Amino acid sequence: MTLAPERPVEVEVIPASRVDAPPKPHKTPKVPRPPRRPPRAAMVAMPLSPLQAIVRSSLMLVAVVLLAFAANLVALSHVQHFVAQQRLHDAFQVELANGTAPVSEGDLNDVLLRDGAPVASLEIPALGISEIVSEGTSSGVLAAGPGHRRDTVLPGQVGVSVLMARAAAYGGPFARIQELTPGEIFTVTTGQGEQTYEVIGVRYAGDPAPPPPEVGESRLILETARGPAFMPTGVARVDAQLRGDVQGAGQRQTTYSTLPAADKELATDTRTVWALVFSLQFLLVVEVAAVWALRRIGPQKTWIVFVPLTLAAALLVADQTTRLLPNLL
């Protein structure tokens, strides 16, 4: 029997590079991302009903007025006081130079002095106070600086003189008079010359007052609000005695019984309510016109035109409202 020849065995030769190479790692299949959400449809602003528009406009108007009131009381009132003092200083210096400064409740022609007329210059070096004093003590007068109470004599004259000023708003001229100590010296210049006063002491409600001045003496009382700023709780008074010659007292028409209630301590002045009413009407007209313009000519032009008008009207309302607050605030 003949044997079949054996088939040669094929041996696969593996290259060294394939032998040494590590096995390829298996790739982890990627997890498919969830499909993106379709973008939300833009919210379409629904037009406001007439009532909603009125309510929104009213709230915005109240907010603007409150903001203007705070700004006027805390900041802008000081600017008004500074401007008023410059004007009063110039006018009083001219009167002193011409010898026409008042020495009574009337001028050279015996005409009753108007509220706000300059009558004296007050200098308190210890507190850095340099103010022109006006005739009258109503809220409007004290917005310009210290005021002289009409039913009392002028500083330096025989008797008792009373000067009142604010403690916080409109420059707060008397904000620190409670820091004055007995013996401090200050001066008041009137049409009768410079008067030098010495502080006797500071007193509050319930404290004993110094003995009344003797015949032929002159005393001065400085008054302002007591308590936290813009929250008066009472009246603070500084008593001072004249050092030097006493001047003769000029004629006065106003007495304590005829002194207007608005000129007394911590009084409010309602005589200018009519101005507040007109300013509110002006603000309302501006607001109505702004709403009409917003629908007719668009927001951009409306803002350019009516924002300054609204601010001006709101500041006018705020100024008139401030006059209704206590005059020593």
Side-chain angles (χ1 to χ4, degrees):
M1 181 175 63
T2 305
L3 295 176
E6 295 182 0
R7 294 181 180 179
V9 179
E10 295 181 359
V11 179
E12 181 181 3
V13 179
I14 301 176
S17 58
R18 291 180 58 185
V19 173
D20 297 337
K24 294 183 179 180
H26 295 285
K27 293 183 179 180
T28 305
K30 293 183 179 180
V31 178
R33 295 181 179 179
R36 294 182 179 180
R37 295 181 179 179
R40 295 183 179 180
M43 297 182 63
V44 179
M46 299 296 294
L48 297 177
S49 66
L51 179 60
Q52 290 175 331
I54 293 175
V55 171
R56 185 184 67 172
S57 300
S58 301
L59 292 177
M60 292 178 61
L61 195 62
V62 171
V64 169
V65 171
L66 291 177
L67 181 61
F69 174 75
N72 179 72
L73 194 64
V74 177
L76 297 181
S77 65
H78 302 303
V79 178
Q80 298 178 41
H81 165 261
F82 176 78
V83 173
Q85 279 294 303
Q86 291 294 319
R87 175 180 53 81
L88 290 171
H89 178 270
D90 295 341
F92 191 60
Q93 290 302 314
V94 171
E95 292 181 355
L96 289 177
N98 296 333
T100 59
V103 296
S104 66
E105 197 177 2
D107 57 14
L108 292 179
N109 299 320
D110 290 333
V111 177
L112 192 68
L113 290 176
R114 61 176 177 81
D115 275 353
V119 296
S121 174
L122 174 64
E123 303 283 341
I124 307 180
L127 302 180
I129 294 177
S130 178
E131 296 278 329
I132 300 298
V133 181
S134 303
E135 185 72 358
T137 51
S138 64
S139 180
V141 173
L142 297 187
H148 167 252
R149 212 174 74 184
R150 281 185 174 274
D151 63 325
T152 65
V153 299
L154 286 173
Q157 297 180 350
V158 59
V160 178
S161 178
V162 177
L163 302 183
M164 299 163 57
R166 296 178 180 269
Y170 294 97
F174 282 4
R176 298 173 54 203
I177 63 168
Q178 300 171 58
E179 300 175 12
L180 291 173
T181 57
E184 293 279 4
I185 301 297
F186 63 91
T187 61
V188 183
T189 302
T190 66
Q192 294 172 311
E194 183 178 276
Q195 323 298 328
T196 302
Y197 281 90
E198 180 180 352
V199 175
I200 299 174
V202 181
R203 59 188 170 94
Y204 308 103
D207 293 344
E214 298 180 2
V215 177
E217 289 186 342
S218 175
R219 184 169 296 169
L220 178 63
I221 302 176
L222 308 178
E223 295 183 342
T224 192
R226 179 191 183 189
F230 307 107
M231 299 178 62
T233 58
V235 178
R237 296 178 173 88
V238 175
D239 298 291
Q241 188 78 27
L242 178 67
R243 294 177 56 181
D245 297 333
V246 180
Q247 307 296 328
Q251 294 183 351
R252 307 209 71 81
Q253 176 179 316
T254 306
T255 62
Y256 184 77
S257 59
T258 61
L259 182 70
D263 285 17
K264 297 181 180 180
E265 296 83 353
L266 294 178
T268 58
D269 190 0
T270 58
R271 293 174 296 186
T272 58
V273 172
W274 61 270
L276 176 61
V277 173
F278 279 118
S279 60
L280 284 171
Q281 290 176 345
F282 175 58
L283 179 61
L284 184 60
V285 169
V286 170
E287 181 65 16
V288 171
V291 173
W292 177 86
L294 185 64
R295 297 183 177 182
R296 293 286 182 173
I297 63 177
Q300 185 174 2
K301 295 180 180 179
T302 300
W303 276 83
I304 294 175
V305 174
F306 285 96
V307 166
L309 287 176
T310 302
L311 290 178
L315 288 175
L316 183 60
V317 172
D319 180 66
Q320 294 300 323
T321 305
T322 305
R323 295 176 184 268
L324 300 178
L325 299 177
N327 56 359
L328 297 182
L329 181 67

